[in-house]
Amino acid sequence: MIALLQRVSSASVRVEGDIVGEIGQGLLVLLGVENQDTVEKTERMAQRVSNYRIFPDEQGKMNLNVQQAGGSILVVSQFTLMADTRKGNRPGFSNAGDPVLGERLYDHFCQHLQALGVACATGQYAADMQVSLVNEGPTTFWLQI
């Protein structure tokens, strides 16, 4: 499982012109699921994302997590994070989780974030989405479990 975290001052996702998810300050999380991912890995990733300290404290140091900073999370499914780009001119997607597994773990990830007390908005799984964001910093981290 891969989560690409971007610290944002705002982010939104549109499907067919309509906003389906939107946040102010917080994290945009692009989430990729692999075939071997499990519910346990998904919960560990949600815990890690919710606790990851990438927001500045009073001294400007990255010491606060999203909740401590008063932010929320927008989660967007992103199977292309699983692309094998080591050779050739076309990415391979054999590592990406099948759509049924991917959607189940994506939904579980979002539900687990909410159970942890994190305000969470979502994109629409497997839709053609347009994602807009204002990346603060820019601050972007790649987490893999």
Side-chain angles (χ1 to χ4, degrees):
M1 181 166 286
I2 295 172
L4 184 71
L5 282 59
Q6 296 181 311
R7 191 177 74 197
V8 299
S9 56
S10 64
S12 65
V13 61
R14 292 179 181 268
V15 175
E16 297 180 4
D18 296 323
I19 294 177
V20 297
E22 183 174 35
I23 62 168
Q25 177 188 355
L27 293 175
L28 170 63
V29 176
L30 303 177
L31 185 70
V33 175
E34 294 177 287
N35 280 320
Q36 70 273 13
D37 287 339
T38 62
V39 168
E40 293 78 19
K41 281 176 111 175
T42 302
E43 290 177 359
R44 216 167 52 241
M45 181 65 87
Q47 186 77 38
R48 190 158 184 219
V49 167
S50 68
N51 288 324
Y52 215 62
R53 300 182 311 164
I54 60 173
F55 291 87
D57 63 14
E58 301 81 33
Q59 288 79 42
K61 294 185 180 184
M62 288 188 198
N63 278 327
L64 303 178
N65 66 37
V66 67
Q67 287 178 290
Q68 292 167 329
S72 51
I73 297 178
L74 173 59
V75 184
V76 175
S77 62
Q78 187 71 38
F79 83 95
T80 59
L81 288 174
M82 299 304 142
D84 183 355
T85 59
R86 292 175 288 181
K87 59 184 177 180
N89 294 318
R90 186 171 187 266
F93 295 104
S94 59
N95 292 334
D98 74 73
V100 172
L101 174 69
E103 185 171 17
R104 184 170 63 84
L105 295 182
Y106 169 81
D107 288 342
H108 189 75
F109 178 83
C110 297
Q111 291 166 1
H112 198 66
L113 283 175
Q114 291 171 338
L116 293 169
V118 179
C120 182
T122 64
Q124 183 178 331
Y125 189 84
D128 182 17
M129 296 175 276
Q130 292 73 50
V131 179
S132 300
L133 70 138
V134 178
N135 189 321
E136 290 294 320
T139 304
T140 303
F141 293 92
W142 174 282
L143 302 181
Q144 188 166 12
I145 291 182

